Amino acid sequence: MRLRTVLGEVPAPRGPVLVHEHLRLDLRGPRGRAPDPAASLDDEAAVGGELAELRRSHGLAVVVELTCLGMGRDAAALARISERAGVAVVAATGFYHGAFHPSYVAGSSTADLTRRLLTEIEDGLDGTGIRPGVIGEVGTGGERPSRDEERCLRAAASAAVRSGLAVATHAHLGRGGLVQLDVLASEGLAPHRISIGHQDLLDDAATHRKLAEAGAYVAFDTVGKSSYQSDGVRLRRALDLIEAGHADRLLLSNDVSRAGYLKANGGGGYGAVLDSFVPRLAAAGVGEPTLRLVLHDNPVRFLTSGEAR
């Protein structure tokens, strides 16, 4: 199995994979919202240094970087960070949720948006020739997508079917994941090519089971963000999913999305999953084969063949 990374196509390396991170982004001025001067991340040295340390301490192998259109993506910066850290980085294309849509989205059809995504997939990102290895984080802001968000979801699914890439979503505060799955699947995208995001922000084991039973990946991808959810709740819901027989649908990540989350600035950084959460899973009785499944095998399947169970 091979991954399409910012430094080219490579065999899937051994070691943990963080499936939902940001290494460079700018969300300071979305449409219709007051500017947030803190909502950016542009310290390549600090980011690269953290990833390199996690490679040394935990064998971190891959970071899936889900900064897409409208989020201040910089593919050239991702390549520099990957080289600095010695960690493979998978870049993304797609449309975030409505407040961050580029202005052309409102006047575009699903077919128009699909063509834009396929152009990036085939020709590269930001004029670099670096091709994305995933579509995401395709977002919705509530229980149901807006009309524009639904077209972006449908375009993502159509581009995924045509390109073979998988789709990762942003379900705001964990809400609306089942609707996202229905929309994406209605365009012919198999559920095992879909990761529904931010489900650790939703304290709802029944929804997690429904997503997993349908064959989708369930992303617990904001580990360490205690202002949104305690890791104690995340731990209980992750154990619920594992105990229900769905360890092969669980994905983990931190979603570092602003400079304040970096360790250099007093945050938990990119290590919350590997330094803290995984040891808590192990202490709760989750064995090494299951941890390897969640941290490596699941994300590699999601990014590559995504074969169903």
Side-chain angles (χ1 to χ4, degrees):
M1 292 181 284
R2 298 178 68 81
L3 302 181
R4 183 186 294 174
T5 79
V6 296
L7 299 180
E9 192 171 290
V10 300
R14 296 180 180 178
V17 180
L18 296 175
V19 297
H20 185 138
E21 300 298 338
H22 302 281
L23 308 181
R24 180 71 176 265
L25 90 171
D26 186 350
L27 300 179
R28 289 175 292 183
R31 294 181 297 109
R33 294 189 179 185
D36 180 357
S40 66
L41 181 60
D42 62 2
D43 190 337
E44 293 182 27
V47 169
E50 280 200 32
L51 299 185
E53 176 55 33
L54 288 168
R55 175 178 54 79
R56 290 188 291 268
S57 61
H58 294 289
L60 177 65
V62 182
V63 171
V64 182
E65 214 281 359
L66 292 182
T67 306
C68 59
L69 292 160
M71 299 178 74
R73 185 186 60 199
D74 185 338
L78 302 186
R80 293 192 296 269
I81 291 168
S82 180
E83 288 184 311
R84 173 189 290 268
V87 173
V89 174
V90 176
T93 186
F95 300 100
Y96 194 31
H97 68 82
F100 297 89
H101 284 168
S103 58
Y104 57 76
V105 167
S108 297
S109 66
T110 299
D112 293 334
L113 297 172
T114 301
R115 282 192 290 271
R116 283 184 180 270
L117 297 181
L118 289 172
T119 295
E120 291 212 321
I121 291 166
E122 293 164 4
D123 298 340
L125 307 172
D126 310 324
T128 62
I130 293 170
R131 299 172 69 197
V134 68
I135 299 172
E137 59 178 302
V138 184
T140 58
E143 294 289 350
R144 301 196 66 83
S146 68
R147 290 182 180 180
D148 286 353
E149 288 171 342
E150 182 172 341
R151 289 202 310 281
C152 289
L153 284 169
R154 293 189 182 282
S158 179
V161 169
R162 293 169 65 177
S163 67
L165 297 187
V167 172
T169 77
H170 165 96
H172 195 63
L173 300 179
R175 299 174 298 170
L178 289 167
V179 177
Q180 288 183 340
L181 180 58
D182 285 346
V183 172
L184 292 166
S186 73
E187 294 294 319
L189 184 60
H192 60 268
R193 304 300 285 138
I194 299 165
S195 166
I196 301 298
H198 306 329
Q199 290 307 290
D200 53 332
L201 299 180
L202 186 70
D203 189 5
D204 184 350
T207 293
H208 300 155
R209 286 195 300 271
K210 287 178 183 177
L211 291 168
E213 287 165 358
Y217 288 94
V218 183
F220 279 38
D221 53 15
T222 66
V223 172
K225 289 187 170 182
S226 58
S227 61
Y228 289 93
Q229 181 72 278
S230 76
D231 276 356
V233 172
R234 291 185 176 95
L235 181 66
R236 289 197 299 274
R237 295 289 80 86
L239 291 171
D240 284 343
L241 202 58
I242 291 168
E243 290 165 3
H246 300 303
D248 61 345
R249 299 294 99 182
L250 178 61
L251 301 172
L252 296 176
S253 208
N254 311 279
D255 190 20
V256 172
S257 54
R258 57 178 60 205
Y261 289 130
L262 296 176
K263 283 190 174 180
N265 298 322
Y270 298 96
V273 166
L274 297 174
D275 289 336
S276 175
F277 197 73
V278 167
R280 292 182 72 175
L281 286 170
V286 179
E288 183 59 34
T290 300
L291 293 175
R292 185 169 58 250
L293 175 72
V294 171
L295 290 169
H296 177 268
D297 299 352
N298 290 350
V300 169
R301 281 202 318 270
F302 168 66
L303 290 169
T304 55
S305 62
E307 68 270 15
R309 288 176 289 182

